Every structure is written in C-alpha cells, then in structure tokens.
Amino acid sequence: MKSPRTAAAVLAVTAIAGAGLLTGCSASGDSGNTNGTVAITIASLVPGSSADAFKAFNLRVKEFEKANPKVIVKPVEYQWTGPTFSAQLAAGTLPTVFNVPFTDSQSLANAGQLADITSDVKKLPYANKFNKSLLQVAENDKGDLFGIPYGPYAYGLSYNRALFTKAGLDPNKPPTSWDEVRSDAKTISDKLGIAGFMVFTSGNTGGWGLTEQTYSRGGRMEVAEGGKTTVTADNDQTVAALKFLQTMRWTDNSLGSNFNLDWSGMNQYFGSGQTAMYPSGSDVLTALVQSDGVDPKDYGLGLIPTEGDNSGVLSGGNVAVVSAAASPAEKAAAVKWIDFYYMQKLLDKSAAVADAKSLISNKQPVGVPQLPIFDKAQLDTSLGWIDSYINVPKENVAPFQNGIFDQKIIAEPAKHTQELYAALDSVVQAVLTDKNADIDALLKGVNTQIQALIDADAK
Amino acid sequence: MTAATVRDRAVRRRALDQSDRGIASHSDWRRPGVWLGMSTVHLILLILLILWGVGPLLWLLKSAVTPTQDTLQAPLAVFPHGWDWSNVATAWNTVGIGVQFLNTIWVAVGSWFVQLLVATTAGYALAVLRPKYAPIFNGLVLATLFVPGVVLLVPLYLTVLHPPLIGHSLIDTFWAVWLPAGANAFNILLVTRFFNNLPREIFEAARTDGAGPFRLFWSIVLPMSRPILGVVSVFAIINAWKDYLWPRLVLTNPAVQPLSVRLPNIQSQTDLGVFLAALAISMIIPIVLFLVFQRLFLRSAGLGGAVKG
Amino acid sequence: MTTSSAAVRVSRTRRRTPLTWIRGGGPANLLFLLPMIVIFGVFSWGPIVESVVMSVQHTNFVTAPTFVGFDNFLALFRDPLVPIAVRNTAYFAVLALIFGYPIPLIVAVLMSEVRRARGLFSALAYLPVVVPPVVSVLLWQRFYDASPRGLFNTVLSWVGIGPQPWIQSAATSMPSVVLVATWAAAGSTVIIYLAALTSVPPELYDAAEVDGAGLWGKIWHVTLPQLRPVLLITFILQIIGTAQVFLEPFLLTFGGPANSTLTILQLIFRYAFQNSIGLDYGKATALSILLALFLALFSVVYFRLTKAWSTN
C-alpha cells in the first residue's frame, strides 16, 4: 500500500505541475523573437484545401525564408467568414498576417484593430503605383495605411462546361441575359435532373449575391447623400431579382433541392456537379481546384448579365493586413511577406515565374482571371511573363476576361455591410423555401433593421 | 417441441423466482392470448429498435466503404459496384483526422482526470471529513445545478481568455477544456451521496488505528468507491467525447481540435465519401466503449431513475 | 465513538485557537476542498456573477467596460430576432416533449415486460445516445437530402409518398431538427424509465390483482403512480434541456431556412461570437440571464403545482 503522504504529495504535485504547464505553454505563435530573428504566423489556405495546394504554398514559404534568413514563418490555416472573424480577434487567434475583405478593412482600421503599416509600405518601391481608389479600402479616415489590397475580383458567372455540353448547350456561349440564364437553366435541369442554376444563400453570402443581382439590374442597396446613408433594399431591381429566383424555383424547378449553401458549401455543390451555373467571384477557380477537385478544363467563366441603366458588376477584394498586436519587428517582417507573396508576382518576372512554377508542380491553376491592382498595363505585362505556364484554358474564361473591362465596376455597400448581407440571407432563403414568401414585406423589414444600425452610429 | 412446451418451460422458469414479475403476473403469462400478444409486440419492438438504433449507424459504416458516386446516386443500394476502402484511407491520411482523433482522446483523458480529482476530494471533504463549514459549500455547489449552462458561456470564455494569475490566455490549449470540466456539480452530488452512505464505523476504526485524513482517503475511501468512480468516469469520458460548443469556442487551431469540432469545419471541402468515412471513424471508440462496458453505462444512465431519494 | 465525541466535547469547552484548528484536521479539510474551491470559483461561481454584471455593461476591448443600466435588455426587446428565437425554442420544446416524453415511456413499459435478453433491448435503445451528436447531426443531414434521390425520400417513395423538403422548408425544418434530437436523446429517457419501472415493488401488483385489476388497471393504479416522481423530474429536466438546445439546429440548418430553426442559444452565440464587427457580450449575457430567470420561475411554479398534485 502506498504511503498516505502519497495522497498529499499527489495533490501538491498536481497543483504545481498544473501551474508549471500553464505558465510554460504559449498560446499564440507570436512570441519567440530571439537572436534578432523574428517569428510571424501567416494565413495560408482555407481549411480543407488539398495537400497539393498546401505543398505549393509551403514551397513559397521556403523560398521566402531562404531570401530572408532572419524571419521564421509559420503558416496557419485561415478562412475569413463574416460570422467568426471578431471572435478570432477577441481570442487573439488571428495570425500576424491575415486577410479581410474590402467591406471590413476600413472599419477595422478605424477601430484600431489593425497595425498601421504606412511607414513599412512606403519603403516599397511601388508604393505610389497602386490604383488610388483601390488603396482607399485599406486606409483609415486619416489616410494611414493598414493593409495592402490584393486579389480584386468582380462577379462573374461560373459554369460547368462539361454539363453544358451534356445538356446540348454550347459551352463557348454562356447565357448573356437573365432570360437566357433562365432558359439554359431549365434545359439543364430538365435533361440532367440537377440544379441548372443556383445562388448563395447563407453565411452572409446570400445577401452578397443578392446585392450583385441588384447591381446587375441597375439597383442599389444603400444610397449615400450628403453624409447620410439610406438603406434601399426594397428597390425595384432587388424585387425583380427575387421574383426571378421565385419563378425559377417554383415554376421551372430549375434550382435543385438544397437551399442552405454558404460560400464553401456552394463551391462544393458546384464542384460535385450538382449545379451547372452560379454567380461567383471571378477568382473562385483557385478555391474550386484547391478544395473541391474541379478540373479547370471543365470550368467556364462568363459575364453576369447586366440590364438597365446604372447596371454594373459588384466587385470586391481582399486586404492583406497585420494584427494590431504585432511588434515593430514583426510588422516589418509581415510587410516583407506580403510584398513577397502577394505583390512580387505582379511586378517582377522571376518572382512571377517562381510562383507559377510552384503552382504548376503541385497541380494548382495558373491563369485564374484577375483584375488589376496597379493598372491594366501592369497586369497584362505580368500575365505575359507567365504565359507559358498558364494551364487554365484561355477560351474558358475569355467571355469574362474580354468583357469585364467594359463593365461598370461597383463597390459593395459601405455601411454595416455584413449585417445587411446577413439580414438579406433570410430573405433569399425565404423566397427559395416558401412559395408564398412576401417579398415586399421581407425587404422592408431589412430596411428597418439596417437603417436602425446606421442611424445609431450617427448618435 | 410444441408451442405449449415452450410456453410451459418459460412459465416454469419464471415461477422459480416469484418476485420476478412486472405488470403482467405469472398467471397472466400462462394465458396464450397474453403470451402471444406480448411476444409479438416484443418482436415488433425489437425490429423497430434495431432500425431506430442501429440502422443509421450501419448505413454510415456501409457508406464509409462505398464510392462517393454510389452514395450520391443510390444511397440505399448495398455495394452496387463493390466496396472501396480508399475513403477510409483518405480520411485518415490525406484529410488527416488522425490528429484530431488523438486530440479527442487527450481531451477525454484530461477532463476525466480533473473531474475525478475534484469530485473525489470535494466529496471526501464534504461527506467524510465534514468540517463545520461544509454545508455552505454543499449549498453553493448544489445551487449551480439550478443555473442553466447558457449563463456561463460568455463569462467562462472571457475567463479562459484572461485567466486570473496566469499571464496569457488558455485558448488553443487543452487546459481550456480540462479545467472547466471539473466544475461539475452533478459529479460532486453523486460522490457525496455515495460517501455519505459508506459505513462510518470503518472510518472510526481506521481513525482509532491512527490513520490520518490522507491515509483514510487513499487507502480506505477510494478503494471502496470503485462503483461510483466507474459511474463518474463513464459520464466524464462520454461527455468529453461528445462536447461540441465549448471546444469549438476555445480550440480554434486544427492541431488541437477534437473530432467533434474539426468535422463540421471540413465538411464543405471534403468529398462526401471521405467525409462519411471520417464520421464513421469518430463514432467507433464511443460505441466500442459502450459495448464493452454496457452494464456500467446502463446502470449509470438508470441512476436518474433512483432520483426519488 | 467515545474518542471522537470526547474530542468534540473538549474542543467545545476550549477556546478555538488556530492550534486547535490545526489539531482538529483543519488544514487537511481545506486541502481536500481546495481543488473544488479553485475550479468552481474560477470556472463556475465567478462566471455566474460575472454574467449578471456583464448584462448591465457594454464591453469593448479597447476601453474598460461601461455601465449601461438596462440598455442591453431594452435592445433585446427591440431586436426582431428575439421573439422569433423564443417562438422557435418553445416550438422545439413542445415537439420534443411530444416525441420524446410519452414514447420512451411506452417503450420502457414494454421493455420491462421482456424476460430474456432485456439487455439487448436496452443496448439497442441506448446506442444512439453514445454516438457523438456531431456525427449524428451530420449523418442525418445526409438522410434529409431533399432531392428525390435522398435517403428518406427514397424510403418514402416505396410507400408512395412524394419527396419531402425536410430541412429545406420553414414548415418542416423544426420537426426535422426535433427528430434528430430525439433520436439521439430518447434512449437515455428509456433507460431512466426502465430503471424506475424495475424498482416497482412486485407486491403492489400482487395486491392490485387481488383487488381484481386487469392489465390496464394495474398500469393505471400501480405503475404510473409509482413512476410519478421520475415522470415529474424528467419532464422538468427535459424542458430545461430543450430550452437550451444549440447543436442540432446550429449544425443541421445554421438556424435557417429563413430563421425558422433559430433558437435562443443560437441567438446568444451569434451576439457573442458571430457578429462580424464588434461583439455584443452585453446582449448575449442579458439574454442568457432572461432565459435563466424564466427557467427558474418555471421550475418554481412547476414544483408548487406538482406538490399540489402529489398530496391528492
């Protein structure tokens, strides 16, 4: 039998060991700056991306570390979603370098939750070459810079060329008007028994997609006049867009039978061949290949049909930002990484080629449609450098790439964007799941709800 | 062997133990109508229970080794194109849920230990040592039983973010799950009641033999408490394995996430067949534990029925 | 015996000094209580108090929390999602009671009459309870595929019923959620009832038969009254549990479609952890306090009423 003192000893040891373990562990990866080396954590890819995608990314990380021996980089899976971002912020689990969409970068900058990197960015040779209106999303009200925008996209119509062919439609001629979208969708769903067309519905993407459909008909969700913003969710074009969806759902039955799709759910839906068309960001092919096993040969990108005056295409993008908790050394290292990974491939031939090579060797797509960060000439030059590596068939994305520069590009609504999108989510869901949804009442409800939030800010 | 013989044998077996009767008496059972009716009902019940309890799980096992297209096109067909272990292999290796599997075990073991430590020491102090101020703590602990868990969610999260005394947050460490698990008033209730029912003469005898409180705890009380320790352990491990909301909040890094948190996160990026294989893998251990320790589980679960006291 | 009572008598007449406390085993008492005091203090009692405090504050990570009186509660009353969540939670609770309260009782009564292999029945009934809820919910999500090829719809087509929308329609979404929740939980209710049923003294049944009671008579006059304490307690426990349902509607439908499965717990979670800019801990704790108060009130009224019935 063990000595009775053992019981006391066990209790005491547990307490001490517990305390020791607690103090010994480090929760976040932002510590460990010794011997002049700086350690930073960076957002890598969305969780669940393929092993190949991670390999390509890690190759780039190694190249960076070789070029910057004093910086240690630790990649961390990361996905920005409206619902979870501020919890991560509060918990301090954000990497040193991460990305936020255009809709949030300004408010975060103003709230002091991002690091001011104006001086670090000024050291970069191309600091003045940014498209000025694009750069604004990364600035606070005073004009200080808090991030570097990258990957601007516009909405396009992603479609599955193989399914189009199978249904007897010409894959080189995607629909160019909403009526054509409707008839093509009906043909596909009748012939193949899948959703001919589908839209995002949850995780704030329902509202995002509905806003795009509004813009494409010439409407606006928010109108700013003389410093006051009015929510206009019940405008005629949004009503028309919802009625369009209603018809396709209840009359044509061409929208399939799953209406609870957020961004990654919808990508999976498309990737597994359960829908043939959906409006999406023009850069979604990367995620489709990395996470949903899509073959670029079967992928097509067309223009979203635009009709009516004032119509345009919703655009957005991401901003590479630095956590407010970063030390000056970490900030400098972070900006170096952002420059290396996000920018160099647009500015320097060898960097562009290295990036393309790492993607190719890991079966990732090269040549996903892009919009310019600096100007169109620079974009064309950078695309020329990697021309031989492009593995996305050019004709597949030609309808979009050729037509987008003639389109009016419209930014997302400015105030309380994510709450607006969240409120619109349930409107879209209601229209798609309830035959008798009262569109006007639902939209008026959104007006009231979001207007209250905007008015409260002014107090 | 006629039906009558079977029936009479059954009746005779029952008659051997007069107290073994339910609503229907032994004479009730002897009536052919009752016997037939009851047996039919029981058979139907058995079939329904199999469909209800086991059916979905069997489907999951089947789908884990079925190619994804078959599962999508004809979910109820059984291996129309043969079976395929690649989904399981992919789930374990490529998607890498082996890491989360180990994390789940780690979380369960740690929570189990903390709960056992807190419940046995507290129960011992309150029920055996019985200091004068014991009733205060008894009351405080019991009071928390009446507070719904929802009230704790946000402040507990903030406590884990900024714990007292310790410099940094416990987020993304297992302690964030282990320590709060110990604050389980139900465990303390169970253990205290059990210790209260232990014969106090043994304690007195041990004390007169010169045993101090530690010896009493380690060598006398704990060995006698195996039954209740078994019950507390079963609850602790199963609850840890099933926990979702709390680990989801405090374990955000996939390297420390348990299965329950990781699986929904990768659903949209994972092929259906591989995902179902991952689900199947995550349910194996609890089910195996249950089948092995059935009686312990069922006895613990039935404890609620003895709540009259 | 005499030793300890003598010691007690002596310590009562002597002055209580720190020395007598130590001699009386004081430090050991405290040491054994320490784990509970620390764990409960930091992770239970403290947070409960903090919850009340936070419900009247506005928390923001940049400055210290400010006292805002009842503003959070008022904001709750103005939020259109709150009445929706309350209604949905009540709907869930009622449906869960209908599916998950009498049926397990019937099953348990039938099972208590099983002579051999009752263990098999119990194991089958309890099996879904040990499956992790995440697995159950994601599994049933597959079953609920609303296309004609979905699993449940295929089964329905065998008996001539057309494909149902299951979780894709506001009308059927909540019952679908309740079905999953019941599948996972009914087993433990069955086992609880079974344990209570098998502890009914057989003599009562013998006595009832002597009085001429038939099968139904025995159930009505012996079984149910004997089960009354268990029935009453499981009822209130079920209400308290279902009022806090989170996982099933959260994972199955994210609270949709169109907020038809949004429950109070999900709303609290959203306020606290899912607003994209700025967390609203004040509203979250205010709502959880309101729910807790409601459940407390409900329990008090419930116990008063059932005490009245018990004395009949």
Side-chain angles (χ1 to χ4, degrees):
Chain A
M1 266 302 178
K2 289 197 192 133
S3 134
R5 298 293 163 211
T6 314
V10 167
L11 272 176
V13 167
T14 312
I16 296 175
L21 269 165
L22 285 169
T23 50
C25 70
S26 59
S28 73
D30 276 3
S31 55
N33 298 334
T34 50
N35 314 331
T37 57
V38 181
I40 55 173
T41 50
I42 55 166
S44 63
L45 304 170
V46 301
S49 299
S50 68
D52 287 336
F54 280 112
K55 276 201 221 133
F57 186 84
N58 291 334
L59 252 175
R60 302 290 287 145
V61 170
K62 288 222 169 29
E63 288 165 16
F64 176 78
E65 283 182 325
K66 226 168 77 178
N68 296 278
K70 287 222 159 62
V71 181
I72 304 173
V73 171
K74 183 160 163 276
V76 165
E77 282 181 5
Y78 176 80
Q79 179 175 12
W80 185 92
T81 61
T84 59
F85 172 70
S86 45
Q88 291 170 306
L89 188 61
T93 54
L94 290 171
T96 323
V97 178
F98 58 99
N99 50 299
V100 296
F102 284 1
T103 48
D104 294 283
S105 41
Q106 276 178 311
S107 29
L108 287 175
N110 282 322
Q113 287 164 333
L114 300 175
D116 183 340
I117 55 174
T118 324
S119 45
D120 293 291
V121 171
K122 274 215 171 59
K123 297 195 190 123
L124 297 171
Y126 50 86
N128 309 333
K129 296 221 197 105
F130 282 105
N131 177 325
K132 286 276 179 307
S133 51
L134 210 59
L135 204 58
Q136 263 183 344
V137 296
E139 294 172 348
N140 69 359
D141 294 339
K142 296 202 215 93
D144 299 322
L145 191 61
F146 287 82
I148 297 185
Y150 72 92
Y153 65 84
Y155 245 88
L157 185 67
S158 289
Y159 65 99
N160 185 326
R161 295 172 64 93
L163 289 177
F164 259 56
T165 315
K166 214 161 144 197
L169 297 167
D170 182 354
N172 293 317
K173 292 213 171 66
T176 50
S177 72
W178 286 114
D179 286 333
E180 278 178 38
V181 168
R182 181 178 167 196
S183 61
D184 283 354
K186 185 147 171 50
T187 311
I188 295 174
S189 66
D190 285 344
K191 280 230 173 69
L192 304 178
I194 59 169
F197 178 77
M198 191 45 199
V199 291
F200 293 113
T201 56
S202 73
N204 295 9
T205 59
W208 181 54
L210 186 61
T211 307
E212 156 53 34
Q213 290 165 61
T214 305
Y215 286 1
S216 75
R217 290 172 169 85
R220 297 289 184 275
M221 288 292 183
E222 286 179 0
V223 171
E225 265 174 315
K228 177 159 165 50
T229 308
T230 316
V231 183
T232 52
D234 58 347
N235 62 76
D236 295 333
Q237 290 77 17
T238 306
V239 173
L242 287 171
K243 285 215 166 90
F244 176 75
L245 289 176
Q246 212 174 30
T247 317
M248 286 180 71
R249 164 78 175 101
W250 300 105
T251 312
D252 294 349
N253 196 13
S254 53
L255 296 184
S257 46
N258 184 344
F259 306 106
N260 209 344
L261 297 168
D262 61 359
W263 187 78
S264 33
M266 170 62 106
N267 289 347
Q268 189 184 41
Y269 201 61
F270 177 78
S272 57
Q274 295 179 73
T275 182
M277 286 192 271
Y278 72 116
S280 69
S282 52
D283 59 344
V284 77
L285 181 58
T286 309
L288 287 174
V289 172
Q290 284 178 345
S291 310
D292 305 292
V294 167
D295 183 350
K297 289 198 201 58
D298 292 333
Y299 175 81
L301 185 66
L303 278 176
I304 288 273
T306 44
E307 316 172 333
D309 303 329
N310 236 356
S311 64
V313 179
L314 183 147
S315 73
N318 286 301
V319 185
V321 293
V322 180
S323 147
S327 69
E330 286 166 357
K331 268 199 309 191
V335 174
K336 280 214 188 85
W337 165 256
I338 296 176
D339 167 55
F340 172 82
Y341 182 67
Y342 295 104
M343 294 290 122
Q344 282 305 319
K345 54 187 155 192
L346 300 167
L347 298 159
D348 171 70
K349 181 164 180 188
S350 49
V353 170
D355 180 66
K357 277 201 179 127
S358 79
L359 290 173
I360 289 271
S361 64
N362 289 296
K363 308 184 209 97
Q364 302 301 302
V366 178
V368 176
Q370 303 175 50
L371 293 186
I373 301 185
F374 303 101
D375 55 31
K376 188 162 188 303
Q378 180 73 42
L379 180 64
D380 289 339
T381 317
S382 63
L383 286 175
W385 292 330
I386 56 172
D387 197 59
S388 52
Y389 297 97
I390 292 186
N391 60 10
V392 175
K394 288 208 190 122
E395 59 279 11
N396 288 12
V397 298
F400 176 84
Q401 198 74 62
N402 294 344
I404 190 63
F405 293 102
D406 299 324
Q407 295 292 321
K408 189 179 162 86
I409 303 282
I410 310 176
E412 300 180 81
K415 296 262 185 251
H416 288 278
T417 325
Q418 293 300 325
E419 286 99 329
L420 173 65
Y421 287 170
L424 290 171
D425 268 7
S426 40
V427 178
V428 176
Q429 288 173 18
V431 167
L432 293 179
T433 59
D434 180 0
K435 209 163 174 176
N436 306 315
D438 182 352
I439 295 181
D440 290 307
L442 291 168
L443 290 174
K444 284 209 166 45
V446 172
N447 273 357
T448 321
Q449 203 183 335
I450 305 300
Q451 192 69 57
L453 290 175
I454 295 180
D455 294 340
D457 285 344
K459 287 201 206 116
Chain B
M1 175 92 77
T2 64
T5 329
V6 171
R7 205 186 336 125
D8 286 342
R9 280 205 192 154
V11 166
R12 237 175 293 142
R13 212 177 301 128
R14 276 178 230 120
L16 284 172
D17 184 356
Q18 278 303 314
S19 66
D20 172 28
R21 60 150 296 171
I23 300 173
S25 71
H26 296 298
S27 53
D28 278 334
W29 276 105
R30 239 175 260 135
R31 282 159 48 199
V34 174
W35 186 85
L36 203 61
M38 281 294 235
S39 304
T40 320
V41 169
H42 284 150
L43 191 62
I44 297 179
L45 184 63
L46 185 63
I47 295 177
L48 286 177
L49 279 179
I50 292 179
L51 279 178
W52 170 264
V54 181
L57 306 176
L58 283 178
W59 184 86
L60 182 58
L61 286 175
K62 175 205 79 121
S63 307
V65 294
T66 307
T68 308
Q69 274 309 313
D70 287 346
T71 309
L72 271 176
Q73 302 294 338
L76 283 168
V78 183
F79 303 135
H81 298 117
W83 60 32
D84 181 8
W85 284 98
S86 64
N87 283 339
V88 180
T90 316
W92 189 264
N93 297 324
T94 317
V95 177
I97 63 166
V99 173
Q100 284 84 31
F101 189 83
L102 283 172
N103 289 338
T104 317
I105 295 181
W106 224 192
V107 166
V109 167
S111 302
W112 167 79
F113 182 76
V114 172
Q115 285 184 58
L116 227 50
L117 180 70
V118 172
T120 51
T121 53
Y124 180 67
L126 293 175
V128 177
L129 295 180
R130 296 193 184 155
K132 286 232 171 56
Y133 48 83
I136 306 176
F137 284 115
N138 233 330
L140 280 175
V141 167
L142 252 96
T144 63
L145 271 179
F146 291 100
V147 177
V150 62
V151 171
L152 287 173
L153 194 64
V154 172
L156 196 57
Y157 181 74
L158 290 178
T159 305
V160 165
L161 262 186
H162 306 292
L165 294 183
I166 303 156
H168 54 71
S169 96
L170 296 175
I171 297 281
D172 283 342
T173 68
F174 288 132
W175 295 102
V177 181
W178 289 342
L179 295 178
N184 186 327
F186 190 64
N187 287 348
I188 299 197
L189 183 67
L190 283 179
V191 173
T192 315
R193 245 177 20 149
F194 184 86
F195 286 1
N196 269 327
N197 290 336
L198 291 177
R200 298 199 71 80
E201 303 82 60
I202 303 192
F203 303 152
E204 299 306 329
R207 281 217 186 94
T208 47
D209 282 346
F214 295 103
R215 168 138 230 161
L216 189 60
F217 178 70
W218 191 257
S219 314
I220 312 273
V221 174
L222 275 188
M224 286 173 73
S225 331
R226 288 221 184 99
I228 201 67
L229 295 187
V231 172
V232 171
S233 303
V234 161
F235 280 145
I237 296 192
I238 286 294
N239 284 338
W241 202 276
K242 293 166 79 164
D243 208 0
Y244 171 72
L245 177 52
W246 182 248
R248 182 187 195 278
L249 278 180
V250 297
L251 298 177
T252 61
N253 183 346
V256 290
Q257 280 176 344
L259 285 167
S260 59
V261 179
R262 183 64 168 163
L263 288 171
N265 281 354
I266 58 172
Q267 184 182 20
S268 302
Q269 285 92 0
T270 310
D271 173 77
L272 179 65
V274 174
F275 188 68
L276 290 175
L279 286 182
I281 293 177
S282 8
M283 76 171 182
I284 286 185
I285 293 231
I287 292 192
V288 164
L289 278 179
F290 171 64
L291 292 175
V292 169
F293 294 107
Q294 252 177 74
R295 255 181 300 158
L296 185 54
F297 271 79
L298 294 174
R299 207 171 354 116
S300 319
L303 214 57
V307 153
K308 284 188 224 175
Chain C
M1 260 319 203
T2 40
T3 329
S4 50
S5 46
V8 163
R9 246 184 285 131
V10 166
S11 61
R12 276 214 200 101
T13 53
R14 275 186 22 196
R15 240 176 46 242
R16 311 270 318 273
T17 65
L19 209 56
T20 58
W21 180 71
I22 295 178
R23 290 234 190 88
N29 292 345
L30 216 51
L31 196 61
F32 274 100
L33 278 176
L34 202 61
M36 178 195 87
I37 294 179
V38 168
I39 295 283
F40 267 80
V42 176
F43 298 108
S44 182
W45 300 322
I48 293 177
V49 171
E50 214 185 315
S51 195
V52 179
V53 169
M54 282 177 73
S55 65
V56 291
Q57 285 179 335
H58 177 73
T59 312
N60 138 3
F61 284 104
V62 183
T63 57
T66 52
F67 179 74
V68 292
F70 285 118
D71 277 2
N72 291 325
F73 292 92
L74 288 177
L76 284 179
F77 290 125
R78 281 195 299 260
D79 187 343
L81 288 178
V82 169
I84 295 179
V86 171
R87 208 178 50 223
N88 290 340
T89 311
Y91 189 31
F92 181 91
V94 167
L95 282 181
L97 266 183
I98 294 178
F99 289 149
Y101 190 68
I103 297 179
L105 182 59
I106 299 171
V107 170
V109 168
L110 289 174
M111 275 170 65
S112 68
E113 293 303 300
V114 171
R115 288 298 147 202
R116 286 177 299 169
R118 192 189 295 158
L120 175 64
F121 280 77
S122 302
L124 286 175
Y126 201 69
L127 198 57
V129 181
V130 298
V131 175
V134 168
V135 174
S136 317
V137 170
L138 294 176
L139 178 61
W140 279 66
Q141 210 176 39
R142 284 311 319 154
F143 294 166
Y144 281 146
D145 183 4
S147 73
R149 275 189 316 255
L151 201 137
F152 277 176
N153 284 339
T154 313
V155 172
L156 285 182
S157 68
W158 294 343
V159 291
I161 306 180
Q164 298 298 308
W166 302 109
I167 53 175
Q168 302 295 343
S169 151
T172 55
S173 54
M174 193 54 107
S176 306
V177 172
V178 173
L179 198 56
V180 182
T182 310
W183 181 79
S188 56
T189 318
V190 169
I191 300 298
I192 292 177
Y193 287 155
L194 192 60
L197 281 168
T198 52
S199 61
V200 173
E203 303 82 56
L204 294 176
Y205 289 124
D206 292 332
E209 276 156 11
V210 164
D211 288 342
L215 206 63
W216 292 114
K218 276 179 279 187
I219 294 181
W220 190 255
H221 288 118
V222 179
T223 315
L224 289 181
Q226 282 295 305
L227 281 184
R228 188 190 280 139
V230 170
L231 287 175
L232 291 179
I233 295 223
T234 46
F235 182 88
I236 188 68
L237 285 180
Q238 195 159 359
I239 294 279
I240 295 181
T242 52
Q244 301 180 70
V245 67
F246 175 81
L247 190 144
E248 285 85 359
F250 182 73
L251 280 184
L252 203 55
T253 52
F254 313 142
N259 293 327
S260 55
T261 56
L262 182 68
T263 58
I264 297 182
L265 236 314
Q266 282 183 78
L267 200 53
I268 294 176
F269 184 81
R270 276 193 203 181
Y271 286 150
F273 304 111
Q274 281 197 331
N275 279 319
S276 58
I277 308 289
L279 304 162
D280 207 335
Y281 290 147
K283 263 164 92 173
T285 44
L287 187 52
S288 45
I289 300 259
L290 282 183
L291 179 61
L293 284 177
F294 170 77
L295 289 176
L297 200 63
F298 188 88
S299 308
V300 165
V301 171
Y302 181 78
F303 282 121
R304 286 266 166 81
L305 282 178
T306 57
K307 220 170 238 153
W309 292 336
S310 298
T311 53
N312 277 356

